[in-house]
Amino acid sequence: MKSTPQDSKTRRKRHHSAATGYNKEAEDEYYLKKIQELVNQKMELLAVQQEKDSKKTLKPPTAKTKMNSKRKVSTRRLKNFITTVMNGKDMTLVINKKLYESDLLESQNRLSMPMKQLKTDEFLTENEKQDLENGKEFEVGLLGPTLRLHQKPMVMKMWRLKSTGRRSYVLKTNWNEFVKENEKEMKRHSKIQVWSFRKDNGLFFALSCV
């Protein structure tokens, strides 16, 4: 079989490469390695820049922030818990207030909700309003700031201050036990919200820290 001019040319190239020590595969591998090194360097620089940018926009949480995030329950989470877990309804904000010393004293054993500070009194039925006006009292449930329902019911009553004539709704009877159960969240001058809701036709309250 006769060789063609193309075969002769190919053999000459191979002989020349062997004579000069040229290896095309080795050359390709060299350049691929260099390209990969450049890609790696670029990725490292990009990672460093991203880390710098994130530090500019995100501040690490302080110890106080971490503590507050653990003890505070958002309004959205509270509503979701009441409606889905407790099957409650008609959730209504009753009052925003600070916890004063009188709210935490064992000798007082009550939470005061001055009527002038109430957001609304529509959380009560007309019969409940009338009963409280007439000096009657009734039991209510109380959900704590960590979403734990207190085992014992509170007693709701209306108090009238003889000196000023001001009226307040109060939660009493088992209030001291509730405070001890939630002492980490309930401190003097802590800001709280009191919400009301209905469950099985009964009146419940939920206390949250803000």
Side-chain angles (χ1 to χ4, degrees):
M1 181 177 179
K2 295 182 178 180
S3 61
T4 63
Q6 182 66 32
D7 293 335
S8 299
K9 186 177 180 181
T10 302
R11 283 197 297 271
R12 285 197 300 272
K13 283 185 177 181
R14 288 176 180 172
H15 290 316
H16 177 73
S17 298
T20 59
Y22 173 76
N23 189 321
K24 188 174 187 305
E25 293 182 358
E27 183 182 32
D28 290 344
E29 184 178 351
Y30 170 79
Y31 283 116
L32 286 173
K33 185 177 180 180
K34 285 295 183 182
I35 292 171
Q36 187 62 48
E37 288 177 356
L38 290 173
V39 171
N40 291 340
Q41 290 177 4
K42 184 67 174 177
M43 294 298 292
E44 289 177 2
L45 290 173
L46 181 61
V48 171
Q49 186 61 44
Q50 288 177 341
E51 184 177 359
K52 289 181 180 179
D53 293 341
S54 65
K55 287 181 179 180
K56 290 179 182 178
T57 56
L58 298 177
K59 295 182 179 179
T62 61
K64 184 176 181 181
T65 302
K66 290 180 180 179
M67 178 187 68
N68 288 341
S69 63
K70 290 181 179 179
R71 78 179 188 181
K72 291 182 180 179
V73 175
S74 67
T75 301
R76 182 177 179 180
R77 184 182 170 196
L78 176 62
K79 288 182 178 179
N80 184 66
F81 182 85
I82 288 173
T83 55
T84 61
V85 178
M86 297 195 66
N87 295 319
K89 60 181 182 179
D90 300 332
M91 186 174 170
T92 305
L93 178 60
V94 176
I95 192 172
N96 289 310
K97 66 165 289 177
K98 285 184 178 180
L99 287 175
Y100 294 104
E101 186 175 359
S102 58
D103 293 313
L104 302 175
L105 284 175
E106 288 190 14
S107 59
Q108 297 290 328
N109 192 24
R110 91 299 183 267
L111 173 69
S112 175
M113 298 183 289
M115 294 185 68
K116 285 190 175 182
Q117 297 178 27
L118 297 182
K119 295 294 184 180
T120 180
D121 65 352
E122 295 304 313
F123 62 94
L124 295 169
T125 66
E126 292 302 321
N127 287 338
E128 288 169 343
K129 292 178 185 178
Q130 194 62 43
D131 286 343
L132 292 170
E133 287 282 353
N134 294 333
K136 294 183 180 180
E137 55 189 43
F138 52 86
E139 292 184 346
V140 297
L142 182 58
L143 185 68
T146 58
L147 301 180
R148 290 179 58 187
L149 183 66
H150 194 63
Q151 292 183 350
K152 296 180 181 179
M154 301 292 139
V155 172
M156 186 174 185
K157 184 178 176 63
M158 180 189 287
W159 279 5
R160 291 181 175 85
L161 294 178
K162 294 180 180 180
S163 58
T164 61
R166 293 180 180 176
R167 300 177 299 168
S168 297
Y169 290 134
V170 296
L171 301 180
K172 64 187 189 76
T173 304
N174 294 308
W175 175 252
N176 283 343
E177 293 181 21
F178 179 84
V179 171
K180 289 180 181 179
E181 186 178 90
N182 300 279
E183 60 183 354
K184 291 183 180 180
E185 291 78 23
M186 299 176 61
K187 304 292 184 181
R188 184 181 177 185
H189 298 314
S190 294
K191 294 181 180 180
I192 65 167
Q193 288 182 332
V194 180
W195 298 78
S196 70
F197 63 97
R198 296 278 169 173
K199 174 180 168 60
D200 300 329
N201 296 321
L203 178 61
F204 287 74
F205 291 94
L207 186 149
S208 63
C209 298
V210 295

